[in-house]
Amino acid sequence: MTSSTLTDLAASGEPFALIARDGATVEVLRGDVVDVDLLGDIPLHDGDGTPREVLALVPFRQVVERGFVCHDDGAPLRCLRVTDHGSIPLAEALRELPSERIPLGDAGFDISDDEYADIVRRVIADEIGRGEGANFVIRRDFTATVDTDPVTAGLTWFRALLQHERGAYWTFLVVTDGHVAVGASPEAHVSAHSGPPAEPGTSIVTMNPISGTFRHPRGGATAETLTEFLSSTKETEELFMVVDEELKMMSAVCSDGGRITGPHLKEMSRLTHTEYMLRGSSTMDPRDILRETMFAPTVTGSPMQNACTVIARHERSPRGYYSGVAALFTPTVDGGHDLDAPILIRTAYLVDGRLRVPVGATLVRHSDPAGEVGETHGKAAGVLGAIGAVDRDDAPAAVPVATAIDEDAPADAPAPRLGDGPTIAELLASRNARLAQFWLDPQAAEGGPFAGRDVLVVDAEDRFTTMLGHQLHHLGFRVDIRTWSEVTDAAVDEAGFVVFGPGPGDPRDGASARIARMRDLVARRADALRPLLAVCLSHQILADRVGLDLAPLASPHQGLQKQVDVFGVPSSIGFYNTFTARVPAGMQHLGETEIAADAASGDVYALRGPGYASVQGHLESILSRDGLPTLERLIGFALEPAQA
């Protein structure tokens, strides 16, 4: 394929896509477009069963397939059925693509800085403060008018991204009827590639949670500014929370639950992020993998279901394709398909002469409204500067850092990347000392202290239960996970062991159908003196049932790691709670219930009694360094009557 193809494409009026993902070539995809309703309708085969390559633009509204809410703008699930897939050298593409600056008119954010700051305050107080979740991403849009031909504008911006934005996972341009999308996404949301020949039908699934944003100072970073960023509690906890959320998804699609590697620096021209890689194996159809992983917590929040509700409450307009994915399905030799799906962020959309650049900030318990406003400005400026729509700072960010990291480096030596210096590498590696080894090491496939036993896990709308399920399997259980709305009384009565899982919300809210049902199920099991374990929200419900007070925390413990005493054993546990059971300081028993609580505040960390145990923390979280042994001890205690 020659570079003249780009000129032909611009003049043809036909749909096409350009993708740069290997640093050396630009892939050129041509075909026809079909819009479908569901992910399962993506046409991966022709009528005769022949596998077909497809590039799909998946809008945010597709979360309705998982039963989640959204502002529905009707954005289509658009599929480019590829009839021709070629490539040209990157240098040729740069010579061929237009480079004139595209003027913008009426440029600015759709909501003011003050309005966005007010939204940040409300989300922290009304959503995180009420226990609705650990973090939420709320977006605003930078908009402008564009008089230039949209295809020419798209090609121009694509060239600018190729030339000025480094470190992107995909740099892309997708042109379909009436719609242009051009961007440089840093983040591979999910990929699935054929596994080893010895395991036919198995895919290796990879997810790439990225969080924490270091905006390079004008003139480049220094070792001090990068160290300050990597030492930030907010930035570190943001990353851990999104890793937990994506591990929930990995645990839903991968038989081995997923392993963590990292952390690494994701270095781009104007921004640097921190990231982990998660990998596991799956036998699921790639479209089902995509459905179960909709969408990245880095651009939605967690837990995912509540994040969608919070987004619908606080965002004023539909998201379109922002935070969705571009999903490329490529046929494999065995008749299946590989999947490569970056997140649709750092992307500009041009429709009917109107440019839109959506950007969002991750809001957590200690977010500063002014800081989050600044983050949206920085992200918008990064995209607009990269495409040349606004002035860009072209100072090479890595050079000053290289000098600061290694003063003895030869003057003509290639500048090392930001993460190459020993001090920075040590700061990154030190993060894993805080994490659960369970998710860093391979898991045992068989055996465990509870081998041969069955356990029913009741999901209270937090897919931490999928991670909990993998820990229970590791301990030997055969695991059955059911949602609170589908589990029957009979199932709870008949199960040999029941784990009541975590969930969002106020445990005192009897008007909530979910809270009321969880109360009934916990009481039913406890009244029958049948063994159970209750986690987080369910722990609070059990605490209320045995007569303990419930109260909101002065400051939510969302994504907080604490060293606590669990019945005489010091344990490092991750917490995601806004409410707590509380007893008078020093109280250790109430009737038959033994209480593990903070000596000063009286906040209850765990309970145990005849046939039951409970824990406030998330033992399945990556933040629970002592999670697995604590889980094993609590289960053993709850099962003692049944084993006697």
Side-chain angles (χ1 to χ4, degrees):
M1 180 173 291
T2 65
S3 60
S4 62
T5 301
L6 300 182
T7 305
D8 296 341
L9 284 176
S12 70
E14 298 176 356
F16 68 92
L18 306 178
I19 303 171
R21 51 180 175 164
D22 66 2
T25 61
V26 173
E27 299 170 67
V28 183
L29 286 65
R30 294 183 289 189
D32 59 277
V33 169
V34 59
D35 294 341
V36 299
D37 293 328
L38 303 172
L39 289 169
D41 298 332
I42 294 174
L44 298 187
H45 297 84
D46 290 335
D48 61 0
T50 303
R52 167 69 73 89
E53 184 172 37
V54 176
L55 173 64
L57 291 180
V58 183
F60 179 73
R61 67 181 291 269
Q62 223 59 39
V63 294
V64 298
E65 288 198 44
R66 292 185 59 187
F68 303 164
V69 301
C70 69
H71 292 302
D72 192 348
D73 56 354
L77 201 177
R78 179 151 291 181
C79 302
L80 177 68
R81 298 189 298 183
V82 179
T83 56
D84 182 70
H85 187 157
S87 65
I88 59 176
L90 179 61
E92 283 190 33
L94 289 170
R95 286 194 296 268
E96 181 74 13
L97 290 164
S99 59
E100 294 298 320
R101 185 163 177 168
I102 306 298
L104 305 182
D106 298 325
F109 279 103
D110 58 340
I111 60 175
S112 72
D113 288 355
D114 288 343
E115 290 175 301
Y116 189 78
D118 285 342
I119 292 172
V120 172
R121 293 185 189 96
R122 290 200 300 274
V123 170
I124 295 170
D126 299 342
E127 308 295 356
I128 298 174
R130 289 205 314 257
E132 295 302 317
N135 57 86
F136 301 108
V137 179
I138 303 298
R139 87 174 208 291
R140 62 199 297 218
D141 296 344
F142 185 95
T143 64
T145 58
V146 178
D147 292 334
T148 306
D149 169 71
V151 178
T152 301
L155 290 167
T156 303
W157 293 335
F158 179 69
R159 183 190 189 281
L161 289 170
L162 291 176
Q163 185 174 12
H164 297 287
E165 185 58 273
R166 67 183 177 92
Y169 180 67
W170 270 31
T171 302
F172 60 90
L173 168 66
V174 182
V175 176
T176 59
D177 186 28
H179 190 272
V180 172
V182 58
S185 176
E187 190 165 353
H189 176 50
V190 64
S191 65
H193 297 282
S194 297
E199 301 178 28
T202 298
S203 296
I204 303 302
V205 178
T206 303
M207 297 186 74
N208 177 209
I210 295 176
S211 190
T213 301
F214 173 52
R215 295 193 295 275
H216 299 170
R218 182 170 290 273
T222 66
E224 290 74 18
T225 55
L226 182 59
T227 298
E228 181 181 0
F229 162 70
L230 291 175
S231 302
S232 164
T233 298
K234 174 185 180 294
E235 302 291 357
T236 301
E237 290 183 354
E238 275 188 25
L239 180 60
F240 288 160
M241 284 190 278
V242 298
V243 171
D244 260 338
E245 192 68 19
E246 293 206 2
L247 270 175
K248 298 177 189 179
M249 298 176 178
M250 288 289 289
S251 294
V253 302
C254 296
S255 58
D256 54 356
R259 307 265 60 74
I260 301 173
T261 58
H264 312 287
L265 289 183
K266 181 71 174 182
E267 301 177 38
M268 304 189 73
S269 295
R270 294 158 186 81
L271 302 170
T272 292
H273 307 281
T274 45
E275 66 178 358
Y276 277 91
M277 300 299 293
L278 316 180
R279 287 189 176 87
S281 59
S282 177
T283 58
M284 293 176 67
D285 182 291
R287 292 168 294 190
D288 295 330
I289 291 174
L290 194 56
R291 182 185 302 105
E292 289 299 313
T293 59
M294 290 194 302
F295 282 114
T298 51
V299 285
T300 54
S302 62
M304 181 66 196
Q305 183 165 350
N306 258 33
C308 290
T309 302
V310 170
I311 288 167
R313 272 201 288 263
H314 294 278
E315 291 188 354
R316 301 179 181 178
S317 60
R319 286 193 162 196
Y321 292 97
Y322 171 72
S323 72
V325 297
L328 182 61
F329 298 87
T330 303
T332 58
V333 294
D334 61 1
H337 285 79
D338 286 344
L339 167 67
D340 189 8
I343 302 174
L344 289 171
I345 53 175
R346 312 291 165 81
T347 300
Y349 302 93
L350 184 55
V351 179
D352 296 331
R354 191 74 176 170
L355 172 70
R356 186 172 71 97
V357 179
V359 292
T362 300
L363 313 184
V364 295
R365 57 190 169 88
H366 38 46
S367 283
D368 169 56
E372 303 301 356
V373 168
E375 181 160 332
T376 62
H377 277 276
K379 288 179 176 177
V383 177
L384 295 166
I387 66 177
V390 299
D391 291 337
R392 63 172 69 93
D393 175 16
D394 287 324
V399 174
V401 173
T403 303
I405 289 173
D406 185 1
E407 296 179 352
D408 297 324
D412 58 350
R417 296 172 68 85
L418 299 178
D420 289 344
T423 301
I424 302 303
E426 184 178 344
L427 270 173
L428 285 168
S430 67
R431 293 185 173 190
N432 286 353
R434 297 178 55 186
L435 303 185
Q437 206 64 34
F438 179 79
W439 298 107
L440 296 168
D441 295 337
Q443 299 172 13
E446 303 292 341
F450 305 110
R453 288 183 171 273
D454 295 317
V455 60
L456 170 65
V457 181
V458 181
D459 186 330
E461 285 186 12
D462 189 334
R463 295 182 80 187
F464 261 127
T465 50
T466 61
M467 295 169 65
L468 192 56
H470 279 281
Q471 285 190 323
L472 292 166
H473 177 72
H474 179 82
L475 293 174
F477 283 101
R478 292 185 293 264
V479 182
D480 178 16
I481 301 176
R482 305 189 198 181
T483 65
W484 66 271
S485 57
E486 70 180 357
V487 70
T488 63
D489 290 349
V492 170
D493 292 343
E494 295 165 7
F497 186 55
V498 177
V499 174
F500 293 102
D506 186 340
R508 306 166 299 179
D509 183 10
S512 162
R514 177 172 52 85
I515 299 295
R517 179 59 173 161
M518 291 300 294
R519 284 180 180 176
D520 290 344
L521 292 173
V522 170
R524 184 181 187 90
R525 183 75 181 183
D527 289 345
L529 302 179
R530 299 277 284 153
L532 69 92
L533 173 70
V535 179
C536 197
L537 174 71
S538 296
H539 155 84
Q540 296 162 5
I541 289 172
L542 179 66
D544 178 65
R545 184 183 177 280
V546 300
L548 303 185
D549 293 333
L550 300 178
L553 291 163
S555 177
H557 291 169
Q558 296 291 349
L560 181 65
Q561 187 179 57
K562 291 170 65 71
Q563 187 79 14
V564 301
D565 186 295
V566 181
F567 303 116
V569 181
S571 304
S572 180
I573 304 295
F575 288 78
Y576 283 87
N577 62 304
T578 299
F579 296 86
T580 185
R582 186 168 288 154
V583 297
M587 183 175 177
Q588 296 182 339
H589 292 85
L590 180 63
E592 294 182 308
T593 301
E594 187 177 358
I595 302 166
D598 185 89
S601 68
D603 291 351
V604 177
Y605 298 134
L607 301 172
R608 61 185 186 184
Y612 61 83
S614 70
V615 62
Q616 177 61 76
H618 284 257
L619 304 181
E620 69 281 5
S621 165
I622 62 165
L623 290 170
S624 291
R625 197 170 62 238
D626 299 312
L628 189 66
T630 305
L631 178 64
E632 182 178 343
R633 286 196 303 273
L634 291 175
I635 291 173
F637 185 89
L639 285 172
E640 278 183 5
Q643 293 172 336

